[in-house]
């Protein structure tokens, strides 16, 4: 079905009949096509509500590895759908908008990284999953924010490590493990936008609230945090912790699940530098319910990868999944 439709814009510019109940239509299409909808916590609430599985990057990779569906529709960004495709070379993997990239992945072009790697021979390369297949193919092990510490600790102490592309997560893991890693200078535009001063004054205004942060945030922000963790770890923390309010320094999409799981608690998004909605990831938010429906109906856009790149990038992803057998994202 996909071959005849026009995806020049990176998505199908088709607008469904406004009278359609998209929730019902998507449910029907998923069943008809034996498709599974995997969504990241940073997606809009309506997409999260219709997903078969919502998770962080590790959870989504674990689900993608195990799914028996014929089609995977990925409500997330390109590197996530690409990972699902690498794990499932014979399945159809769809992304509602191919423009849904990632500033962190973009900050690490494979040609530059190959040169960087050559400058540091004999180093084990651990790459954060937020990178392209080209970077994965140059890596020894992939990690996510859930398992980064565990993966770094799994490397023998006498081995040197390159950690890419997120310098903030890398620095945080150096602090936790005491390992002296060489860091690639990349970062996430969403997690670097938080204002230290505004967070301090928000904390003063809400002394009862705990401040929780994703490790992609900069060091001074992390230094203020009562708890630091991946998206899933932050969510779980708010469920088991006894505080009644939280200031949350990560993408705002996760607040939907936090509010659903703990309706009696208050969740305040940490403020960005300017009065923008910059803590909404502009890439994640390119996916909409409309695009999702159209993508599933016409089975496009599809993630396609050259076979050799897929085979090379599978090795470090598999290593990560094997090393993370007891962990869930
Ligand atoms: P996790 O899904 O590992 O929490 O990472 C957050 C993120 O920025 C995904 O793009
Ligand atoms: Fe990339 Fe940051 Fe958006 Fe995650 S939140 S997809 S790391 S730009």
């Amino acid at each position: 079905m996909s071959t005849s439709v026009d995806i020049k814009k990176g998505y199908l510019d088709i607008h469904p009949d406004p009278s359609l109940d998209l929730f019902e239509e998507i449910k029907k299409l998923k069943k008809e096509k034996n498709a599974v909808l995997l969504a990241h916590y940073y997606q809009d609430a309506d997409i999260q509500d219709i997903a078969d599985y919502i998770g962080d990057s590790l959870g989504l990779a674990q689900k993608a590895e195990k799914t028996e569906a014929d089609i995977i529709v990925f409500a997330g960004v390109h590197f996530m759908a690409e990972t699902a495709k690498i794990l499932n070379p014979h399945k159809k993997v769809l992304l509602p908008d191919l423009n849904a990239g990632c500033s962190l992945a973009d900050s690490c072009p494979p040609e530059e990284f190959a040169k960087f790697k050559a400058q540091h021979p004999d180093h084990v390369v651990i790459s954060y999953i937020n990178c392209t297949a080209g970077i994965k193919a140059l890596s020894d092990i992939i990690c996510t924010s859930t398992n980064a510490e565990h993966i770094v600790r799994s490397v023998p102490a006498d081995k040197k490590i390159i950690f890419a592309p997120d310098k903030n997560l890398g620095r945080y893991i150096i602090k936790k493990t005491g390992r002296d890693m060489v860091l690639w200078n990349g970062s996430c535009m969403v997690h670097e936008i938080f204002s230290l001063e505004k967070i301090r004054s928000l904390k003063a205004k809400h002394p009862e609230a705990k401040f929780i942060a994703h490790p992609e945030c900069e060091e001074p922000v992390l230094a203020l945090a009562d708890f630091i963790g991946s998206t899933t770890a932050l969510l779980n923390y708010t469920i088991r912790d006894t505080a009644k309010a939280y200031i949350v320094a990560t993408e705002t999409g996760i607040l939907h699940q936090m509010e659903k799981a703990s309706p009696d608690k208050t969740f305040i998004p940490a403020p960005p530098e300017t009065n923008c909605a910059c803590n909404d990831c502009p890439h994640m938010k390119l996916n909409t319910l409309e695009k999702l429906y159209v993508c599933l109906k016409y089975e496009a856009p599809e993630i396609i990868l050259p076979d050799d790149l897929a085979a090379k990038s599978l090795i470090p992803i598999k290593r990560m999944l094997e090393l993370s057998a007891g962990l869930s994202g």
Side-chain angles (χ1 to χ4, degrees):
M1 196 173 225
S2 59
T3 43
S4 61
V5 290
D6 182 6
I7 52 158
K8 266 198 234 80
K9 290 184 170 172
Y11 60 91
L12 292 178
D13 199 4
I14 298 172
H15 297 277
D17 177 346
S19 68
L20 283 179
D21 178 342
L22 294 183
F23 279 89
E24 281 312 311
E25 294 302 317
I26 291 171
K27 266 190 218 158
K28 259 193 257 163
L29 286 170
K30 279 195 302 179
K31 204 164 171 204
E32 252 170 61
K33 295 174 186 253
N34 188 28
V36 67
L37 172 55
L38 306 182
H40 192 270
Y41 288 121
Y42 296 168
Q43 292 294 287
D44 281 335
D46 51 1
I47 295 181
Q48 292 188 36
D49 288 344
I50 199 171
D52 296 300
Y53 176 79
I54 323 164
D56 69 4
S57 305
L58 177 63
L60 291 165
Q62 287 171 325
K63 272 279 175 248
E65 187 193 29
K66 298 219 156 61
T67 185
E68 288 182 0
D70 295 316
I71 297 178
I72 299 173
V73 194
F74 217 107
V77 291
H78 194 277
F79 76 81
M80 295 177 174
E82 194 172 65
T83 302
K85 179 67 183 174
I86 294 165
L87 287 163
N88 295 280
H90 305 299
K91 289 191 200 291
K92 198 172 255 190
V93 178
L94 307 172
L95 181 65
D97 189 334
L98 291 177
N99 302 304
C102 167
S103 68
L104 190 45
D106 291 347
S107 71
C108 195
E111 311 73 46
E112 296 297 310
F113 188 67
K115 286 185 212 153
F116 180 77
K117 194 180 152 179
Q119 287 163 10
H120 303 282
D122 309 324
H123 282 58
V124 174
V125 178
I126 301 180
S127 295
Y128 191 35
I129 199 163
N130 300 37
C131 64
T132 59
I135 296 297
K136 290 186 174 81
L138 292 167
S139 306
D140 297 300
I141 321 177
I142 298 305
C143 73
T144 74
S145 56
T146 288
N147 61 18
E149 183 182 344
H150 177 74
I151 298 287
V152 168
R153 288 190 194 279
S154 77
V155 176
D158 61 331
K159 295 269 183 208
K160 295 183 208 155
I161 299 175
I162 291 176
F163 189 92
D166 190 9
K167 64 178 177 193
N168 293 318
L169 176 63
R171 241 188 250 124
Y172 171 68
I173 299 297
I174 289 175
K175 218 169 147 191
K176 290 219 88 178
T177 61
R179 292 295 289 263
D180 181 21
M181 306 191 291
V182 179
L183 303 180
W184 177 264
N185 186 20
S187 59
C188 157
M189 62 192 285
V190 177
H191 288 90
E192 280 210 323
I193 205 79
F194 298 111
S195 158
L196 202 58
E197 235 154 77
K198 288 187 192 171
I199 292 170
R200 281 208 188 99
S201 60
L202 202 58
K203 272 166 71 81
K205 208 168 135 196
H206 299 277
E208 77 294 358
K210 286 205 174 147
F211 176 57
I212 60 175
H214 194 282
E216 285 176 25
C217 294
E218 290 179 302
E219 202 172 12
V221 169
L222 295 181
L224 294 180
D226 296 298
F227 180 77
I228 298 167
S230 68
T231 319
T232 299
L234 294 175
L235 172 62
N236 290 340
Y237 179 76
T238 62
I239 294 171
R240 68 169 188 268
D241 185 61
T242 53
K244 286 280 170 220
Y246 300 85
I247 300 167
V248 185
T250 190
E251 214 271 357
T252 54
I254 186 66
L255 268 68
H256 180 55
Q257 292 306 321
M258 289 177 174
E259 283 161 352
K260 265 176 105 167
S262 308
D264 55 328
K265 297 187 179 186
T266 306
F267 299 96
I268 310 163
E273 289 288 352
T274 53
N275 290 331
C276 58
C278 315
N279 44 348
D280 277 348
C281 173
H283 306 289
M284 288 277 183
K285 285 347 195 217
L286 283 178
N287 295 323
T288 61
L289 206 59
E290 268 200 3
K291 282 185 194 161
L292 187 59
Y293 162 74
V294 171
C295 157
L296 186 51
K297 183 170 165 73
Y298 295 96
E299 298 178 22
E302 186 183 349
I303 303 285
I304 307 282
L305 271 174
D307 290 347
D308 57 337
L309 183 58
K312 275 192 198 143
S313 48
L314 177 63
I315 299 164
I317 298 174
K318 278 281 187 195
R319 252 182 222 140
M320 171 189 81
L321 291 170
E322 281 157 22
L323 286 166
S324 309
L327 301 171
S328 56

